[in-house]
Amino acid sequence: MELAPDGSAPTDTAGLSAWAEIDLDAIADNVAALREHAGGTPVMAVVKGDAYGHGLAHSARAALARGASWLGVAQVAEALDLRAAGVTAPLLSWIHVPGTDLAPAVQADIDLSAGQPWALASMADAARATGRTVRVHLKVDTGLGRGGALGDGWTELLAAAAPLRAEGAIDIVGIWSHLAWADAPDHPTVRAQRERFVEAIAEAERAGIRPQVRHLANSAATLTDPQARFDLVRPGLAVYGLSPVPDLGAPQRFGLREAMRLLARFSSVKDAPAGQGVSYGHEYTTPAATRLGLVPIGYADGIPRAALNAGPVAVRGTRARIAGRVCMDQFVVDLGAAGLDAEPGEELVLFGRGADDEPTAQDWAEACGTINYEIVTRIGPRVPRVLVGTAGREDADG
């Protein structure tokens, strides 16, 4: 992300060729809506992956401003970045590898996840090095087949935890798991995973472990499955106003609004004759005399190459599409084919709010054969995040 001289994110677009507008109030309002969907169950806002491309620290503060009581990240480095930014809320990090120095995380009051005995041993080493007890969330694999203790491994994990708890090296404050098919709430795996989660909690309780929080629900389950709430819900994508269940409804159906709008300015507009090949490989040819607009953002910035002849944009409120291949730093729009014209420096919208009839991240996902998560998360650091709204802003009144 490009930063202002004082280290903050920019707040205007002067001189920018492309930028991602981040609505902090939308993030805050989405968290409030998610908490309402969850019947008041506390919310852990997941801000991994630079807050799904929205910007880590300011997105975390915005989420906390309207009711998130926890934050979640994948990697320890992300958690330490939040602490360095002054964020003090309860914070869980769940991915590390053998050999990771966990002492800085323990010193920074970061909760850590363990799904195998080696992870508990690493945490105990950090506890001894710092003289502090590590707050641990044990992860059970209830059927995703990814992280966490699977099958008899759960019994082994509980056994490995016992002496470390007795030593005072660890305190088990959470038990958690992750759903494989929450975006299809009627899929039989959802019920099977809930049942396995309950069984795993019961086994832990028989071993004398009664955690403060049990959490299973991601964004999709938060919106569609009351039985998955337990003590804490863990939404990610929906915090940023995108629907995790697009087959069931757009963001508006769930009281959400998109927090990111991706905009750019035309760097060139020129006349082209009929039959002109456009961009590498000439995979688009102008069907008639037209005007071609050049947009200075490309796959180095996260625009998918798969948007060939398909990525939607809006110019003066009218939809157009990418013409030809997306290049590293730019792509072309056939303005005439959409009955449009434009001038160099004029703005266009790549994606934004569906309620405003703008192309959306979901539209881009469908055009590129991917998911809306990837569209927003892949927007790279050359694209400045321009902040609007006041939620969580350190310089905001009140």
Side-chain angles (χ1 to χ4, degrees):
M1 181 191 304
E2 296 180 16
L3 300 178
D6 65 356
S8 64
T11 55
D12 65 65
T13 65
L16 299 180
S17 57
W19 64 98
E21 180 185 281
I22 307 300
D23 186 341
L24 301 177
D25 293 341
I27 292 173
D29 291 345
N30 292 336
V31 169
L34 287 161
R35 189 170 183 187
E36 185 174 345
H37 277 287
T41 302
V43 171
M44 175 189 289
V46 177
V47 293
K48 64 180 181 176
D50 199 31
Y52 290 55
H54 292 66
L56 181 63
H58 54 248
S59 297
R61 294 190 189 101
L64 293 167
R66 287 294 304 277
S69 49
W70 288 72
L71 297 170
V73 295
Q75 299 180 357
V76 171
E78 298 173 302
L80 291 172
D81 284 347
L82 281 171
R83 289 292 190 248
V87 176
T88 60
L91 173 57
L92 172 64
S93 172
W94 52 77
I95 294 178
H96 62 278
V97 299
T100 301
D101 181 6
L102 298 177
V106 175
Q107 292 172 323
D109 292 320
I110 295 164
D111 291 15
L112 298 170
S113 172
Q116 294 185 322
W118 69 259
L120 290 175
S122 295
M123 293 172 194
D125 289 342
R128 297 174 191 124
T130 61
R132 304 183 66 171
T133 299
V134 184
R135 288 170 52 92
V136 178
H137 296 235
L138 296 180
K139 186 173 186 182
V140 55
D141 186 342
T142 55
L144 179 58
R146 203 175 65 178
L150 183 65
D152 291 340
W154 180 245
T155 302
E156 296 168 4
L157 187 65
L158 295 176
L164 301 178
R165 292 177 64 221
E167 178 188 339
I170 67 170
D171 180 17
I172 298 173
V173 298
I175 293 176
W176 73 297
S177 190
H178 197 46
L179 294 163
W181 227 309
D183 54 344
D186 294 328
H187 196 276
T189 60
V190 177
R191 178 175 178 178
Q193 285 195 256
R194 285 199 313 262
E195 291 174 348
R196 172 61 188 134
F197 189 55
V198 171
E199 292 169 359
I201 293 167
E203 183 177 355
E205 289 178 346
R206 290 193 295 271
I209 297 170
R210 290 174 174 78
Q212 298 171 21
V213 290
R214 305 159 300 167
H215 47 108
L216 177 64
N218 58 5
S219 286
T222 298
L223 294 173
T224 66
D225 188 1
Q227 296 181 72
R229 291 174 187 161
F230 293 92
D231 305 308
L232 187 67
V233 295
R234 207 175 56 241
L237 183 78
V239 168
Y240 311 101
L242 301 181
S243 176
V245 283
D247 291 344
L248 300 182
Q252 304 94 286
R253 176 184 171 184
F254 303 105
L256 307 173
R257 70 179 189 274
E258 297 93 331
M260 180 189 288
R261 299 175 71 229
L262 183 62
L263 302 100
R265 290 189 174 95
F266 288 105
S267 59
S268 169
V269 179
K270 63 187 179 185
D271 295 323
Q276 174 64 55
V278 176
S279 196
Y280 291 126
H282 284 184
E283 296 197 48
Y284 179 84
T285 301
T286 58
T290 190
R291 295 269 280 170
L292 299 178
L294 186 62
V295 184
I297 183 172
Y299 62 76
D301 307 291
I303 305 303
R305 286 190 78 242
L308 164 77
N309 293 333
V313 301
V315 182
R316 300 181 182 179
T318 297
R319 298 285 184 103
R321 294 193 178 277
I322 289 176
R325 289 185 188 171
V326 174
C327 307
M328 182 179 288
D329 309 295
Q330 51 201 314
F331 64 79
V332 177
V333 176
D334 186 341
L335 294 164
L340 288 163
D341 197 359
E343 298 297 330
E346 187 170 338
E347 292 183 13
L348 68 153
V349 179
L350 281 74
F351 59 79
R353 291 185 287 263
D356 295 338
D357 200 30
E358 296 175 333
T360 65
Q362 181 62 31
D363 292 334
W364 273 79
E366 292 172 4
C368 298
T370 185
I371 56 176
N372 52 12
Y373 297 71
E374 184 179 359
I375 297 300
V376 292
T377 303
R378 68 186 293 157
I379 301 304
R382 291 201 310 188
V383 179
R385 274 57 170 177
V386 174
L387 306 182
V388 300
T390 61
R393 290 279 290 269
E394 294 181 316
D395 57 351
D397 292 338

